[in-house]
Each structure stands twice: as structure tokens, then as C-alpha cells.
Amino acid sequence: MQFHHHGYVSTDPRIQEVAGCGIDRPAEIPEEVDVLIVGTGPAGMILGAQLSQFPDITTRIVEKRPERLAIGQADGVACRSVETFQAFGFADDLIREAYRITESVFWGPDPHDRNNLVRTARTKDDPHGISEFPHLICNQARVQDKFAEVMENSPTRMTPDFGLKFVDLTVADEGDYPVTVTLNRTAGEREGDDLTVRAKYVVGCDGARSNVRRSIGRTLDGDSADHAWGVMDILAVTDFPDIRTKGLITSNEGGNILLIPREGGHLFRLYVDLGVMSGKDSAAIRQTTPEESIAIAQRIFHPYTLDVKHVAWYSVYEVGQRVTDHFDDVPNDMIGRRTPRVFITGDACHTHSAKAGQGMNVSMQDGFNLGWKLASVLRGLAPESLLDTYSGERQPVAQKLIDFDKEWSRMMGAKPMDPEHPELGGVDPEEFQNFYVQTFDFIMGFSTEYELAPLTASADHQNLAGGFPLGRRFHSAPVVRVSDANPIHLGHHATADGRWRIYAFADTRVPGGKSAVADWADWMAEAAESPVNRYTPEGAETDAVFDVKVVYQGDHTEFDAIDAPEIFLPRRTPFDLIDYEKVFATDPSDDIFDARGIDRSGAVVVVRPDMYVSAVVPLSEPDKLAAYFDTIMLPQTAAAPAHA
Amino acid sequence: MQFHHHGYVSTDPRIQEVAGCGIDRPAEIPEEVDVLIVGTGPAGMILGAQLSQFPDITTRIVEKRPERLAIGQADGVACRSVETFQAFGFADDLIREAYRITESVFWGPDPHDRNNLVRTARTKDDPHGISEFPHLICNQARVQDKFAEVMENSPTRMTPDFGLKFVDLTVADEGDYPVTVTLNRTAGEREGDDLTVRAKYVVGCDGARSNVRRSIGRTLDGDSADHAWGVMDILAVTDFPDIRTKGLITSNEGGNILLIPREGGHLFRLYVDLGVMSGKDSAAIRQTTPEESIAIAQRIFHPYTLDVKHVAWYSVYEVGQRVTDHFDDVPNDMIGRRTPRVFITGDACHTHSAKAGQGMNVSMQDGFNLGWKLASVLRGLAPESLLDTYSGERQPVAQKLIDFDKEWSRMMGAKPMDPEHPELGGVDPEEFQNFYVQTFDFIMGFSTEYELAPLTASADHQNLAGGFPLGRRFHSAPVVRVSDANPIHLGHHATADGRWRIYAFADTRVPGGKSAVADWADWMAEAAESPVNRYTPEGAETDAVFDVKVVYQGDHTEFDAIDAPEIFLPRRTPFDLIDYEKVFATDPSDDIFDARGIDRSGAVVVVRPDMYVSAVVPLSEPDKLAAYFDTIMLPQTAAAPAHA
Ligand SMILES: Cc1cc2nc3c(=O)[nH]c(=O)nc-3n(C[C@H](O)[C@H](O)[C@H](O)COP(=O)(O)OP(=O)(O)OC[C@H]3O[C@@H](n4cnc5c(N)ncnc54)[C@H](O)[C@@H]3O)c2cc1C
Ligand SMILES: Cc1cc2nc3c(=O)[nH]c(=O)nc-3n(C[C@H](O)[C@H](O)[C@H](O)COP(=O)(O)OP(=O)(O)OC[C@H]3O[C@@H](n4cnc5c(N)ncnc54)[C@H](O)[C@@H]3O)c2cc1C
């Protein structure tokens, strides 16, 4: 965290200085906004938190409920989400509060007495150490609260506009605010009143029954029937030995329960499978009472007891595996010829079972993918075409998720195979466990791979940094900050501020003398084609758009930060102070060059504002770096060198 | 963190349920209080935060300033303090915000050109890994803020009473509220008005010029003259290579600077030595302006430049090495015959140079030492004689600090020895560096060793747990929580809740069967002499006074938490839920039995509410455990077994 650069500010440094539209922010939603977000679920809140960082963008987020969500809905927080929370500054807070999954257990019929229940397997979470962040369980409400804090502490002092329901919208062909939205007040003195807001962009984060989706004529396609679960957050006394471990319990009759221990040490969630809502039964299934769900759970837990003392939350969650073919308002025949004005995210464009805990996580990545793109376009840094890439990148992710979820649900819902009667079918517990381990990376959110050119560059130079695969999230690794000898996780200093990260991995142990990294740094600072010079708005700080960092191969004791080229030592207004936090050495106990397969001749790794690796180029070919940004960014000034 | 045990509470779990005197807490200070704390410095705030945890104790903290401290004063946060913050729940927050020291550098005259400055040494902080917590630098104001948050989130919803100055007090021989205090309003509408408050206990945390100290007739004794430093928190541009590393810079002329980088990446503090305030010069020294201090600093930094852009805080800090002989109001001839009613803590009883960064840290340990003792006595758990141990334990610590500080200041203030002219005197840089490394444990707060019997038990069985030395702070180590396979730092779950921790290190790998730990657990649960049965108030939860945990020698996969004896699985009101968070296995990658030298025949380690190891006894001799508490605690009920 960096602060105090214009003097000491005696408050929580997470409270940013108010600026732009945060100054005298109107309590009432204005008639014209840059971005209108509909819905305060995980997708809407991450998007709001992202856009709230920009004082020059007016963003409002409306929610039909009169107040914040208090409890319920999703609770699985994948490692990739926790990485993302780090960028928003609250990973630690949530880790402290949440339940942490380190193992999962599987219980099934005892081979010796199939009416008895035994632990059939125990698997480690994150068996390959894919992330330094944990896999958590925490109420969706608290995750949303954290994003609300980020918004409120942002320069724009944004807070959700509760009690406003989206009704409909129309998109005009031109005008500064082409989307006209009708909202309706659901609370307060003027309850029932309509109001109209005009926006540059509208984002539907309004869940599975999205009206924004309907208003742009898109549909969720897929299964005809929904699957239903009785979901309950309960306090209970039980002699089941693994009640504080995530578990799948499958009884001989085939009924199954997903057990999710929850934050705080006592609460836990049970997903009781209620089956497919086919035709005439569906009304009855929908009516399943907590008592009925508990009774089913008790049968499955048998011979263990389950004495439920308190039901904190209960819901029959019914959902089908469905996905929309396109995530914005551009008609299929106009794609590439018109840019979008309305987007849909999260459950509004894909729904699937709750069993793999993807609901909140994938929705947040939708919002995170869209946020920086909207900001870049609105701030004049990127062309509107960048907005096409949102659907282009996220729709295939959703499609993959649906395919995965079908397989996953089949496995999770299947009767366990009786080894003495394999002819009766069912899934072999071992096969199940293997599937679980193999798909861990997917479930944790790490198999997303954006392939869309030109946003993801060609893989010509991937060999220079094999551990930073193109299109995948930047996998952080330890380094040592030279100026203060602090051990640092390189990626943890990438905040959700809409900036690009350019990591120069040096070809030398230390700065000084002639080297590829020195030449590259000079080019970055001086050349007209350098992205820093070409795309940084006039008057902005050198690193306003590109956060350029360097990692030398030596130990931090071998050199001084101040000897690094000036591009790595940007100045801070108003006092022209030197920023010393961009010069790194390797951590001798875990050399990043080895850990991430970086060539000793050096490499430049470009990471998008949403933390995905988008280009790997040689230090010695800066033109390739320049070329990468050609179609993605808009030139700002008559290419004056940054340090004239 | 444990919560949700009586149902889901949809807010930050750090906000505790309001209770007792927190319900309808009066905004105005009441006429009668249990404890009146004077001063909101680090000593007062930790004490207030500690006492605020008890709904049955009315504590108020008065401060003559009209509002919170905004900036300045101490900034060094020793590892021991960060451990303590963990117990109050904000270590992570402060770590994130603070500057972290991992190395210190020493600069002195270049042997080849003594007017030039060179780095003479670089030392690692915490060279022996004495704590898993970092050594931090953070403004005292922010530390105080964190304690204020703890108070405000406590069941008593305590907040400081600003604008009230302590004037004087008298102590009566008897009565429920024997201390009568005169306060004076320093702000607000009734500014200048006096008011009277009667208290059971008064604690003077009112700094070096303490009026509480004066009112009980105690004095600070020691040096006749003060030493002065120009202290400034500044923003500056410099080419000095180590400006972001803690450093001691000594020029050839002998002038020296202590450089402390500060939180936020830009600010740093300089301590410029202004010398001893002897006689006629002292007024002049006291008048040293920021400009003059900067000019001295620039001379010392020469040939490096120091271009100061902004002075955020400046103070001439003058202080002598002084200490009071006794820290409470019991006249020296009455010690042991009367128990104290008034205490003094922190700077009110010891002052010393700022150079070793002890000001805030030692003061907080004073408050932490006193807090649980006051609470125990006020809640009827412990006899009043416990209060004698505050001065008994802390005065020797202060005395040791003063002795240390004299030596330290001599070294820090000395001219560096010119190797070619050793006859001119000065300190050899190598000697200096060695001294620094050797005294690190002291500076970090880890050499405190309480020796006072009976609070610290005899060392007869120290050999059973050599790594938990009696009288020293409990040095945490990793274990695995069995119920959820979470890797846990055993000591990090000791919160500042006034409870004792009793750790049973088992003689077996797993529960079940006959064993010393099983017998001990039965005794703890059943025997009338068991501390749990003897000292837990009727109606309270089993672990209300003693938090009893067990560590088995096996791997967590070898057994289930629920198989542990019931003393390790206490129940929670109102639903009788099982608490699964007290049963541990060893961490295979770092076995606590090896790491802390615990005998494989097991051991019982008793840790005080302020985290100091106070007894080590064998599992097989529970009477020794019983005997330990005999004079320290007050029996509560007619010894009914906890699980009758
Ligand atoms: C009742 C319920 C139970 C669920 N249970 C589970 C579960 O057990 N496990 C699991 O993994 N997932 C569950 N989910 C799904 C999970 O919550 C979602 O996958 C996740 O929240 C998706 O995030 P989102 O932001 O896309 O949508 P949501 O979280 O659904 O957020 C949509 C928001 O938009 C608001 N909104 C809707 N329409 C309008 C409108 N017209 N105008 C203004 N605001 C509007 C809604 O009130 C809501 O706040 C559940 C969802 C629901 C609704
Ligand atoms: C101006 C100043 C500069 C300092 N600079 C440094 C430094 O550079 N480095 C360093 O290590 N240490 C420094 N210290 C010392 C360091 O702040 C203390 O060691 C540390 O704060 C001790 O904590 P404490 O709680 O005992 O006392 P303090 O922090 O001094 O707190 C005492 C509190 O009591 C209040 N108070 C005093 N009298 C009354 C009264 N009659 N009624 C009500 N309230 C009263 C004061 O306003 C203050 O808030 C400085 C102290 C001061 C006062």
C-alpha cells in the first residue's frame, strides 16, 4: 500500500482521497450516468467496485431490494476469487473471516454393510499448489459487503442505490447517452414511481431471471428441466466425525448430500439433492419444507445422528444448465460492425448447478473482465472495439463451465457403485476422487484461458516465460523489493486500478552497464512508440496507464534500487518523490526465474488490468511490445517522450 | 474467529454482541466506575481495549486532548507488540498498513576518505527467527486507532472520553469506590468545569509528566539532564541509496541520524541527535527549528543530498533515562500489607531514549500485564493480592530497559572509531553491529522474563517443555486442527479475552485407550480440584476461565476430533453445539514437539491471559496443576464437576 505522498493523512489509508464525481456525489441517481449497473450480486458489486476507482466515470448501481443482502445464496470462494480480492485489498479480511478448505472427504456405503457409512476417500485441496491463496467458504453477503466497502472508500464514494428496479431499456443509434432505462421505485416514499435514466452503457447483473437480458432479446438456452436442491445453513449437533470438513456423502439408496462447513466454526450448509423438476412433480419439489429436507439429510447421514438446533437460512435452489450465446446487445448479424451498449454478466447469462461452487466465482470474473474494458473506453484510452472482447472472452468460459458442470453433476448425483454388483451401475468412488483431483484447477478458476486475438498476443515468445502462459491469470511468485529488502509476492501488488502491468525480467543480475534490459528501459522512457509515451494522457504520472516493474536476477544486496533506469523509478506528484517500489531482486530461496521458467536472456511479460497474461515478448524487440498495443489502445498525445 | 453460534449474524464478526454495561452506555462519564483510566496513549488504549471485553466491568478512559491523536510520537512496533495485536485481532490490519523492517543498515565514514559516507554494515532483522510476526513501523496514532476499534466493537461499546483532564485523586481506606478523582473539562460547552468520579481502581497512563504519578507521591528518578532529538516525519528527494531501509548514519564529526522509513512508501522519519540538555544550552536546544534540524541532517548525509519537500510532523523530543521505584500507590512500607488502588503505566513510570524504539512497546506490555489482573479481581476470579504482581513484574522490566537504553544510547551516540586513529576513541562499527544483533531479542520485547512466584511456577518440570521457558511469552508454533485439517499457529488463537490457556501436549499419537492425557482429561473434567471445576463460575461455559486445548502427537488423518475427551470439546450456549477448535495434531512439516522441545511423555503448559508461560507440569501429576492456582485464583462454587 502506498500513501502519504502528499503529506500525512491521519486515517485508514484504504480510504482514498475523494475526487471527481465523488465530490458532492448526489444521493439521488442522476438523469445521466456513464454506466448503469443493474443488480448488486457478486457480478454487479465487483464491477461497481472496479468502476468506482475512476473519478472521471459516473457509475451507479441499482438494486431492487431495499437493502443489502443479509444471508444466503452462494458461499464457495475459489482461490482465483481470493487472488482477485487481493487486487481489491480485502483478501486478508476475508481469509480471516471465512472457513478455509484444505481437504475434502467422501463418505459412502461401507462395503461390509452397505447400510453403514464410511469415509471412502480424503483428498487434499489444491494438490498441485496452484495458488498461494486459500480456498474459502463465506457467505455471499459478506463478499458483497467487502466490495461495498471498496466502493465507499474509493475516490467516487460510491454506494448502491437500493430500492430501484430495472424495468426496461431502449438503445438509440446515436447520442452521448444512447441507452434509456426505465426504473421503478420498490421502496421509500415514492414507492411505485417510475424514473428514467440515460446511460452510455448498461450492465445487467440482475441474476438468472434477468430483465436486462430480456430487454435485449437474449435467452438462456439449455436444459428444459431444472435440478433442485434443498439448501440449508444450520446449527446442529451430530456425531458425524467430519462435520467440519467439506464432504460428499452418498448413501446406499443414492441420496446424496454436499456438506459445506461455514465460517465461524459452528454453522454448516447442507445441499440435499431433490432431483430434477420434471413436469408434474416440480410444484411439489419446490414446496419441500426445511423439515422434509432435514429428514432426507438424516436418512443419508444414518447411522450418524443429525440433531438440527437452528436453521439460519433455507432455500429450494432450482437451476438448469443454461447459457446465452452472446453476452451483449449486438445482434448476431452485427457483431464486429457495431459495438455494444448493453452487457449481461453472471447468472444473467449462465446458470448451472451449485455443486461445484461456481456461481459467485464465475460471475465475479465476468464483472472483472468487463470493468477495466469499460473504464478504458470511457476514459478514452482504448477504442470501443475493446468492448466486443467481453462477450468474445467470457461466453466460451461460460460454455465450458456448463459442459463441465454436466459431467460434474452426473458424478456427484450418481449412486456409488457396489463393488459386488457393478452391473447395477453407479460411480466407482476411486474414479470419483480422481475426477475431483483432476478438475481442481478448473473449479478454482485457473483453467480460464483467453485466446482471443489481438487481446491475447501470439505465443511466438512463450518460451521466454513458460510459467506465465498466455491468456491465463498471472501466477504470482516471490521476489525481494530492493529498496527495503522486503519479501514480496510480485503479483500481490497488482491492484484493481485499471492499469496494465509490464514486468521486465532482466537479462542481468544488477542494473548498470550495457544490457538488453537497460536498452529496453531507455526505449520505454524515450521512444515515441513506447506504450508509456504513446498511451499515457498528457499531464498524468508516468505510470498512470502502465505500471512498469523490473526484476533483476541478482540478490537484493548486490545493487541499489536507485541505480535502476528511471522508467522503474517514476515520480509522484506533487513533490516529485521517487517511487521505489518497482525494482526487485530474486528471492534466493525461490528464484522466480526458475519458478516461472523465465529465460535468463530476460523477457517482457504484459499483464492486463484483470490479471491475465496477454503478451510475452523479448527485451530486445521492443517493437513487438509496441505492436501489441496498436489495436488495443488509443494514442494520447503527439508522442512526446515521458521524460522530456 | 468463532461466531454464528446462536444463529447467523449478518455483520462483521469482529463486532461483538452488545452486553452488560454496553447496553445503553451513557455518553457522559458516570459518577461511579470500576476502572478509570487516565490517558489514551498506547498504555491506556491497550488497557481500555482489554477491559472493554468484560460486560460486567464499567471502564472509562479519559483524555485531556479534545480528540484522537492524529500524528506523531512513537512509531516502532516490536514483534512482541504485533503478537499482542494478534490477540486483539488486528495484527493483519496493521501489518498491511505498516512499513516492515527486514534489515538495518549502518553508514559511517569511508575509511579511504573520512568525509565520504559508506555503508559499513547490513544486518538482518530477527536473525534467529524469534517470532513469526514482523517488526513494523507505524504511526502511534494508527495503533491507538486500532485499539479504539477493538473497544468500540467490544460488548461494552467503549469509546474514550475526550476533553477530560485528570487533576487529582484521593484514596479512602474503605468503601466500594475508594478512589475519588477530580477531573476538569478541557473542551466543549462546559470547558473549565470540574467533575468528580469515584472509582474502584484508577490507572495513570498519562505519560511522562503524569499527574496520577504525582498524586500518589511517586517520582521518576534517574538522569538529571535530558537528551534531545530533533524528530521529523518528512517527504524528501534524496540520492542516498538506503532511504527506504532503517539505518544509522554516523558522520565523521560524530553527528548521527537514525533513519526510519515509514508506512506508505514515501514518508520517513529522521532522529537528529541534538545532544544533552545541560544547563544554559537547554533552552536553545529546545528551540531547535525544523530548518535547523534539516540542516544538521544534510551535513550528516553529505555527500548525499537531502531535498526536503514537506515536513509532516516535527518535534524536539527530550527525555531522560528515569524510572519509578514502584508502580502503584502502596507506600513502600505497606507493600504486601495493603493492595493497590492506583497504578501507573508506560511513560508515567519509565522514560528513556527513543533510539531503541521501546516507548510504545514497553508501555503496551505494562497495560497488557495489568489488564487481565484487574479484570480477574473485579470479576471475583482472583484475590486482590494478584494486583501486587503488576508492579512486582513490570518494575524490574522497566529497570532493565533503562540499563539497556544507557548502553544502547552510548553506542548509538558515539563517534565511529577511525581505524587509523583508535586512540581518538569511538566505537568500532563491527562491535556496534554485533551489539545490535545480540540485543535484537531485547529490542523486540522477547527477553521479558517474569520470575515472581507464585505467578510464575517453579521450574521443576521445565525439562518437559524446554521451548516454552517459564516466565517468557508463549512462543507459538504450527499445528493442524483436526476437525477441518487447517494448518494453525497454536498461539494465534489466544485472544485477549482474559482467559488462561492450558495446553495439554499428549503422550499419545491419538485419543482413545488408556494414557496419561486421557487420565488428565478425566481429572480436568471430573475432579473437584480441577481448576475448571474449582474456578469457573456457576452457569458459565466450561471454558469461560480456562481455554483447554490438546495437541496429539499423530497426524490429523490418524484420528477424529470428536474422539477426544470431552474437556477438549466444550459446548456452546444456547444450542449446546460442540466446539471443535481445541483438538490438534502435529504438523508433519514442523512437529511442535520437536520445535518446542516437548517431552514425548507429554506436558501441561499453562499460559497466562497476557500470553506468558506460567507453569509447566506433568500430565501425570494433576495436583501440581491444582496447586499452581491455589493462591492465584478464588474458588467459585462448591466444586461441582463441570459435566455433572
Ligand atoms: C435464492 C438463491 C439461492 C441461491 N443458492 C445458491 C447456492 O446455494 N449455491 C450457489 O452456489 N449458488 C446459489 N445461488 C446462485 C448464486 O447466488 C449466483 O450464482 C451468484 O450470486 C451470481 O451472481 P450474480 O451477480 O450474477 O447474480 P445474483 O447474485 O443473483 O444477483 C442479482 C441481483 O440483481 C438483483 N435484481 C434482479 N432483478 C433486478 C431488477 N430488475 N432490478 C434491479 N435489481 C435486480 C437481485 O435482487 C440481486 O441482488 C443462489 C441464487 C439465488 C437467487
Ligand atoms: C511529543 C512526544 C513526542 C514523542 N516522540 C517520540 C519519538 O519520536 N519516538 C519514540 O519512540 N517515542 C516518542 N515519544 C514517546 C512515546 O510516545 C511514548 O513512549 C509512548 O507513547 C508511551 O505511551 P504512554 O501510553 O505511556 O503515554 P503517552 O503516549 O504519552 O500517552 C499519555 C496520554 O495521556 C494524556 N494525558 C496526559 N496527562 C493527562 C491528564 N492529566 N489527564 C488526561 N489525560 C492526560 C496525554 O494527552 C496522552 O494522550 C514521544 C512522546 C511525546 C509526548
Side-chain angles (χ1 to χ4, degrees), chain A residues 225-298:
Chain A
D226 280 1
H227 198 112
W229 292 269
V231 193
M232 48 193 168
D233 291 342
I234 57 178
L235 296 172
V237 177
T238 172
D239 54 3
F240 181 69
D242 281 338
I243 201 69
R244 298 294 312 154
T245 307
K246 182 185 162 197
L248 180 73
I249 300 118
T250 318
S251 75
N252 196 31
E253 271 73 51
N256 71 61
I257 282 179
L258 181 63
L259 159 66
I260 308 284
R262 287 283 297 275
E263 62 275 19
H266 298 290
L267 200 70
F268 57 91
R269 170 172 288 195
L270 298 181
Y271 282 97
V272 181
D273 199 330
L274 302 177
V276 171
M277 313 263 289
S278 54
K280 63 176 173 23
D281 291 345
S282 61
I285 292 179
R286 203 166 285 143
Q287 303 300 322
T288 311
T289 64
E291 293 69 29
E292 287 164 340
S293 286
I294 290 170
I296 300 173
Q298 284 167 332

Side-chain angles (χ1 to χ4, degrees), chain A residues 429-450:
Chain A
E430 201 165 324
E431 183 192 342
F432 191 89
Q433 190 187 340
N434 289 342
F435 180 73
Y436 190 83
V437 170
Q438 280 155 19
T439 55
F440 183 80
D441 292 2
F442 187 93
I443 294 181
M444 288 304 102
F446 294 120
S447 60
T448 298
E449 184 171 332
Y450 297 138

